[in-house]
Amino acid sequence: MTRASLDKQPHEVASMFDDVAANYDLTNDVLSLGQDRRWRREVARAVGARPAERVLDLAAGTGTSSLPFTRTGAYVVPCDFSLGMLREGKRRHPWLPLTAGDATALPFRDDSFDAVTISFGLRNVQDTDRALRELYRVTKPGGRVVICEFSHPTWAPFRTAYEEYLMRALPPVARAVSSNPDAYVYLAESIRSWPEQADLAGMLQKAGWSKVAWRNLSGGIVALHRGTKSQ
């Protein structure tokens, strides 16, 4: 079994997700106490996909996150660099156009998508700035980005309790439900080291995105960042 380190070597991260692919969605549901379903609904609402639009769902894993977009009539491309996740996704959803791709070198032409989104995956990319530039590159002028990522609670007492859960309660729960519990130790460590909400907004602006804003979900456990590519 593989556990990635915080330098996020791509082969280590991909291998780690290969290991957890079969039970990944179930494990996330248990560890988030069911909140991940609400977070994904908020992502779908923020993206606002419309019929015939092209949507890139990056770090799509097994394709679960892509399903809400397909229901709107949009054409969705689920993309991930874990072949294990993609194989599991193809087994479950053989009709989805699951695509292998690295966030720092996307296999798509410039100005290809009306909307791009990534949920709980940007934190695992070795070069965040480069990934944000790649998302910008493949988005059509006037298009939009939505990023859903674990973040930092804004109320200090809750933040302390949450970090205690991450480092103490999460690993034992992961051992009970995951095929690779060490991967969830990495998860906790990567969340703690992730930039604050305002810092990620600054990174989006640096990559070229305009009208950047964010909204906290579940008290800041998760943040939803949005931006637009200028016409």
Side-chain angles (χ1 to χ4, degrees):
M1 294 297 180
T2 301
R3 171 189 166 188
S5 57
L6 288 182
D7 63 359
K8 302 173 187 175
Q9 293 296 320
H11 67 282
E12 291 182 355
V13 177
S15 180
M16 182 182 71
F17 280 101
D18 290 347
D19 288 344
V20 301
N23 293 328
Y24 183 71
D25 294 325
L26 171 62
T27 304
N28 287 346
D29 204 24
V30 171
L31 294 177
S32 70
L33 306 178
Q35 286 295 297
D36 62 317
R37 300 179 191 181
R38 179 200 162 209
W39 298 334
R40 294 195 187 281
R41 285 197 299 269
E42 293 296 334
V43 170
R45 190 173 294 118
V47 171
R50 296 184 289 273
E53 281 194 325
R54 289 176 58 86
V55 177
L56 172 63
D57 185 18
L58 189 56
T62 62
T64 298
S65 60
S66 302
L67 298 179
F69 306 124
T70 67
R71 297 183 191 115
T72 69
Y75 178 76
V76 185
V77 178
C79 182
D80 203 286
F81 76 158
S82 165
L83 297 182
M85 285 285 196
L86 293 172
R87 280 192 291 267
E88 181 65 20
K90 183 58 71 173
R91 185 185 68 80
R92 298 183 190 181
H93 316 295
W95 48 274
L96 280 175
L98 292 147
T99 303
D102 185 332
T104 62
L106 292 170
F108 307 110
R109 294 179 180 177
D110 296 356
D111 307 332
S112 294
F113 296 96
D114 298 285
V116 295
T117 184
I118 179 169
S119 294
F120 309 111
L122 188 61
R123 193 187 69 261
N124 300 315
V125 177
Q126 188 176 41
D127 189 337
T128 305
D129 291 321
R130 186 172 173 182
L132 293 175
R133 291 195 300 269
E134 273 292 275
L135 285 171
Y136 187 86
R137 179 184 67 79
V138 302
T139 302
K140 296 178 182 179
R144 55 214 185 269
V145 63
V146 174
I147 296 170
C148 183
E149 188 53 87
F150 288 112
S151 197
H152 303 281
T154 54
W155 187 46
F158 178 47
R159 182 169 183 155
T160 300
Y162 173 63
E163 289 184 350
E164 286 289 309
Y165 167 74
L166 281 178
M167 300 312 296
R168 296 192 181 189
L170 187 148
V173 174
R175 278 195 291 272
V177 295
S178 173
S179 56
N180 183 3
D182 282 348
Y184 290 87
V185 176
Y186 159 82
L187 171 71
E189 293 173 346
S190 65
I191 291 171
R192 291 183 69 181
S193 66
W194 186 242
E196 299 278 347
Q197 288 89 320
D199 294 330
L200 180 55
M203 295 169 74
L204 277 159
Q205 291 169 330
K206 182 181 176 183
W209 297 97
S210 61
K211 300 180 182 177
V212 173
W214 78 86
R215 179 163 62 95
N216 289 316
L217 303 177
S218 302
I221 288 177
V222 164
L224 210 58
H225 283 72
R226 293 164 306 205
T228 301
K229 183 172 179 175
S230 299
Q231 294 275 10

